[in-house]
Amino acid sequence: MSNAPQQVESVCPVVESMEEIGSKWRLLVLHDLQDGEKRFNELKRSTEANARTLSRVLDDLQEMGYVERRLEEDSPVATYYSLTSKGESLCPVFDEIEAWAEDWLDIAN
């Protein structure tokens, strides 16, 4: 028997994906940015996240390559966020989840 550590393979790509993007706040921000570029305060209002949480989530999503940040230094200074191509690739996934939810979950639209 070998004493070498064995590499553990991922249980499932779905589980890995949900671990990366599956937090409530990350999903809200990614879903909200499907409609296009938004300012920080627009995202804050639409997601109902507090500023600290939203800032942390946006930093995480930017670091992971789902969101890009654009700073406009005119007066007043404005920060805009939008999906990268990696983030945009999730749009069909959100559409499928929404369709599933309409069929299977008791959600009032």
Side-chain angles (χ1 to χ4, degrees):
M1 244 189 197
S2 171
N3 289 335
Q6 293 182 3
Q7 219 174 1
V8 177
E9 286 190 34
S10 169
V11 176
C12 173
V14 173
V15 172
E16 271 191 52
S17 301
M18 293 312 294
E19 285 177 356
E20 181 160 311
I21 62 167
S23 80
K24 170 187 173 180
W25 297 113
R26 286 180 185 171
L27 288 170
L28 277 171
V29 169
L30 290 168
H31 186 263
D32 205 35
L33 286 174
Q34 287 185 107
D35 298 330
E37 184 177 69
K38 293 192 175 175
R39 293 175 73 159
F40 183 87
N41 284 333
E42 290 176 295
L43 284 168
K44 188 171 174 269
R45 275 190 303 277
S46 61
T47 62
E48 298 182 0
N50 67 47
R52 183 176 177 188
T53 297
L54 182 58
S55 181
R56 180 183 46 80
V57 167
L58 286 166
D59 287 346
D60 289 348
L61 290 172
Q62 186 178 358
E63 187 176 305
M64 292 185 293
Y66 292 99
V67 170
E68 58 190 5
R69 178 179 166 208
R70 179 175 68 86
L71 188 62
E72 202 169 274
E73 296 195 25
D74 296 337
S75 186
V77 174
T79 306
Y80 293 87
Y81 295 90
S82 60
L83 295 177
T84 61
S85 57
K86 183 178 180 180
E88 288 174 351
S89 70
L90 291 169
C91 293
V93 175
F94 286 128
D95 293 342
E96 288 297 319
I97 292 171
E98 285 178 25
W100 177 86
E102 288 171 7
D103 289 344
W104 295 100
L105 301 180
D106 188 22
I107 299 175
N109 288 344

